[in-house]
Amino acid sequence: MSLTVKICGLSTPETLDAALQAGADMVGFVFFPPSPRHISLETARDLGKQAKGRAVKVALTVDADDATLANIIETLRPDILQLHGSETVARLRDIKQTFGLQVMKAMAVETTADLAPLPGYAAAADRILFDARAPKGATRPGGLGAVFDWHVLENLDLSLPFMVSGGLNAGNVAEAVRVTRAGGVDVSSGVERAPGTKDPEMIRAFIRAARATEELSVR
């Protein structure tokens, strides 16, 4: 089974093209002003056209209201909504019913206790993304370059597709996949030379390293 590779927080035509050319399965766009990766709707329109038909487009939001989601959907035409805030199971269901799009719910993980809400989210979402828990006082929930203990997910019994995020880079992605047996990986800060500034060569290196894990798994 092939690994799904997502490059998140893309904000320029050049870095998006690097991700697409290197074979990213998913490309993520951030709509959350506190993030250095936040993009305007105008930028989203152009990047969305560039990515159309070449990769799955993911719109990342944090506790966004319906009006905000509607504007993003109209502009980007995403395939998946990534909900990265404190959205409840009921909110997930409302969003799916209102907008008719797939929903990926991000869950912050530090210990096994953080998995307690998983059954509820798994019943409502189409995909789960496990990310490192942000430290207290952080202004945003993800993209902070922090790694969580992947062994928390080691014996996870989840029928839903899931991805791992949080501090991944070309050097550790193979170990993350080996420990978690995740079907997908998601990187943002791990392919940046500065916060919010993606590096094309780092993007290519990450995707090469992620694809190499597929070769190992079939040997």
Side-chain angles (χ1 to χ4, degrees), residues 200-216:
E201 184 47 48
M202 292 174 76
I203 290 172
R204 289 187 280 267
F206 180 85
I207 294 176
R208 280 196 302 269
R211 295 294 176 221
T213 68
E214 297 173 339
E215 297 170 16
L216 291 171

Side-chain angles (χ1 to χ4, degrees), residues 33-81:
S35 171
R37 302 164 190 97
H38 171 71
I39 59 172
S40 66
L41 291 176
E42 184 179 359
T43 298
R45 180 177 286 108
D46 293 338
L47 296 180
K49 289 176 182 175
Q50 184 180 345
K52 184 179 179 181
R54 301 175 68 188
V56 173
K57 293 183 287 185
V58 182
L60 185 159
T61 64
V62 179
D63 299 311
D65 59 23
D66 281 2
T68 300
L69 290 172
N71 286 335
I72 292 167
I73 291 166
E74 182 182 359
T75 306
L76 179 67
R77 304 288 180 188
D79 302 290
I80 298 176
L81 296 174

Side-chain angles (χ1 to χ4, degrees), residues 31-33 41 59-74 81-88 91-92 94-96 98-99 101:
F31 300 90
F32 185 55
L41 291 176
L60 185 159
T61 64
V62 179
D63 299 311
D65 59 23
D66 281 2
T68 300
L69 290 172
N71 286 335
I72 292 167
I73 291 166
E74 182 182 359
L81 296 174
Q82 179 176 330
L83 307 180
H84 218 100
S86 56
E87 299 90 357
T88 63
R91 178 63 177 145
L92 263 64
D94 286 346
I95 289 172
K96 286 192 67 173
T98 301
F99 298 105
L101 288 174

